[in-house]
Amino acid sequence: AGKTKNAGKRRFIDFNRCGVPLIEMVTAPDLRTADEAAQYLIRLRQLLRWIGVSEADMEKAHLRCDANVSIRPLGATHLNTKTEIKNVNSILAVREAILKEVERQVREVEAGNSIKAWTLEWDEEAGVLRKMRSKETEADYRYFREPDLLPIRLDEAWMAEILAHLPELPLDRRARFSQEYGLPEYDADVLTVERSLSDYFEAAVKAYQGDPKRVSNWLMNDVLRMVNEKGIPAGSLQLIPQYLAEIIKMVDTNAINTSTGKALLDKVEATGKSPAEIVQAEGLAKVSDSDAIRSVCQEVLAESPEQVATYKSGKVTIMGWFVGQVMKKMRGKADPQVAKSVLEELLQ
């Protein structure tokens, strides 16, 4: 317990441990596999982040886990003696440690030995479990109440008020994304890992007013890359949802090509300027004028006699190389379909 102070007839107690609030949750022995335990932690971490309780980063000790492991014969209703694994600092490590301990306990039982009530330490670097100490009786766990702390009585009306003000929770939002936007299960799962990402997606869909799957593709393939590289939530990007929608619309209407659109994402993020402003300032609009493209195509063919001979010998797959050279000379602004058509005409 922390410091206490009196105010009239009320006593205030700081329940924080060294200034950090501590919440401990204990589950019943309902998890059957190491994968289930890992999935439980993934969803718990997601929920804690979603409602703003904690960043829940195990490697930074925001979230810790001690795993109790016990086995039982197939069909039996009783569990063998449990062991406790400590010093685990990632969800992957929890899974690996449980797997190792299950294997060890099975070996012990199959060899005719009994399981001892040990506390085990997980060595992350070596990937092994080591015995820390043994606990022979329940009293060794020192279960006793803190006499200076009074019980907290939770009022039903107060709890109902808290629940009523919670945001839409991640699994509910995942189901809605699939139903409302017609997203595949994989997309809906990825887009609801973090609340800020799911909020970003919905804002972008609203601004785009088109196929939500198209927004999802750009978000998962390109925006997520930026989020991961910068280590910031999607809501903190300078590439706001409205700008993403604007870029997708430009590609849809052939105002810019896809490669320019991809590059535009980083330009917007770096400068904070709108996509339209950057396209105008840098002259990035797609060139569809066949005369302008024809001139560059003729230049590429004149500089590439060996490749021209290869094409005329029947290796038509080299056409992609020619188109690439035209795009390079035109700084990615040429319409690749027009360039391909002109090149085919010139190579006849």
Side-chain angles (χ1 to χ4, degrees):
K3 295 180 180 179
T4 65
K5 63 179 181 178
N6 295 318
K9 295 183 179 180
R10 302 179 66 186
R11 170 177 285 188
F12 296 88
I13 304 176
D14 181 0
F15 287 96
N16 294 342
R17 173 185 283 184
C18 299
V20 179
L22 173 66
I23 301 173
E24 184 165 346
M25 300 173 62
V26 181
T27 67
D30 293 332
L31 304 174
R32 305 302 184 194
T33 66
D35 285 334
E36 279 191 32
Q39 185 65 22
Y40 169 79
L41 289 173
I42 288 171
R43 291 304 179 193
L44 177 62
R45 179 182 63 187
Q46 179 189 35
L47 184 61
L48 292 172
R49 290 174 174 173
W50 194 277
I51 60 179
V53 171
S54 168
E55 293 178 11
D57 189 335
M58 288 190 70
E59 294 183 355
K60 295 180 180 177
H62 301 152
L63 175 67
R64 301 303 300 267
C65 172
D66 294 337
N68 292 294
V69 179
S70 57
I71 61 174
R72 63 181 174 185
L74 184 64
T77 57
H78 71 280
L79 290 167
N80 281 336
T81 302
K82 66 181 168 78
T83 58
E84 183 178 16
I85 303 173
K86 290 184 174 293
N87 191 35
V88 191
N89 60 3
S90 74
I91 294 176
L92 178 62
V94 170
R95 180 182 178 277
E96 292 301 311
I98 291 174
L99 285 173
K100 291 284 179 66
E101 178 56 8
V102 169
E103 292 173 1
R104 185 191 72 83
Q105 290 190 21
V106 169
R107 285 198 307 270
E108 288 291 317
V109 171
E110 288 179 345
N113 301 322
S114 60
I115 304 300
K116 307 296 184 183
W118 290 349
T119 297
L120 303 166
E121 179 182 30
W122 174 249
D123 186 326
E124 177 68 25
E125 292 187 3
V128 298
L129 291 162
R130 294 191 173 90
K131 178 183 176 183
M132 292 176 63
R133 58 182 178 272
S134 61
K135 295 178 179 178
E136 299 298 336
T137 66
E138 194 72 10
D140 287 334
Y141 284 87
R142 295 180 174 84
Y143 292 135
F144 59 88
R145 293 178 54 183
E146 168 57 60
D148 292 332
L149 299 183
L150 301 176
I152 299 175
R153 306 192 188 282
L154 302 179
D155 179 80
E156 291 291 340
W158 179 76
M159 288 193 291
E161 182 183 354
I162 295 297
L163 293 173
H165 286 86
L166 284 178
E168 180 183 33
L169 297 182
L171 297 185
D172 293 333
R173 183 166 290 189
R174 182 182 68 175
R176 182 171 63 80
F177 276 13
S178 293
Q179 182 176 6
E180 183 176 335
Y181 299 120
L183 295 180
E185 183 178 334
Y186 176 78
D187 292 43
D189 199 38
V190 170
L191 294 173
T192 54
V193 167
E194 297 286 351
R195 184 177 170 187
S196 63
L197 183 64
S198 65
D199 289 342
Y200 188 105
F201 168 74
E202 290 215 272
V205 168
K206 183 177 180 181
Y208 178 58
Q209 295 185 332
D211 181 9
K213 174 59 177 168
R214 185 142 173 77
V215 176
S216 174
N217 290 342
W218 279 76
L219 195 55
M220 293 195 301
N221 295 330
D222 300 286
V223 177
L224 262 181
R225 168 187 59 80
M226 300 170 67
V227 167
N228 293 331
E229 286 176 355
K230 290 178 170 292
I232 60 176
S236 298
L237 292 173
Q238 293 201 87
L239 177 72
I240 60 176
Q242 291 74 16
Y243 287 167
L244 174 63
E246 186 179 335
I247 291 171
I248 300 174
K249 287 178 183 178
M250 286 181 174
V251 175
D252 290 347
T253 59
N254 290 318
I256 59 175
N257 58 42
T258 302
S259 61
T260 299
K262 303 284 187 181
L264 199 52
L265 296 171
D266 292 309
K267 291 177 183 289
V268 171
E269 177 59 26
T271 64
K273 296 179 180 179
S274 73
E277 185 179 356
I278 294 173
V279 168
Q280 178 67 28
E282 298 188 14
L284 299 177
K286 185 161 70 175
V287 177
S288 297
D289 177 23
S290 60
D291 289 337
I293 294 175
R294 180 181 294 273
S295 175
V296 177
C297 288
Q298 290 172 333
E299 183 180 334
V300 168
L301 296 180
E303 295 173 353
S304 315
E306 291 184 12
Q307 287 78 9
V308 170
T310 299
Y311 179 87
K312 291 185 174 181
S313 70
K315 191 175 180 182
V316 295
T317 54
I318 199 173
M319 176 56 70
W321 182 86
F322 286 122
V323 173
Q325 294 304 302
V326 173
M327 297 296 289
K328 183 177 180 181
K329 282 181 175 290
M330 299 190 72
R331 295 171 54 211
K333 296 187 292 182
D335 186 323
Q337 293 304 317
V338 175
K340 182 174 183 290
S341 177
V342 171
L343 285 165
E344 287 175 342
E345 177 190 336
L346 292 173
L347 285 165
Q348 293 303 315

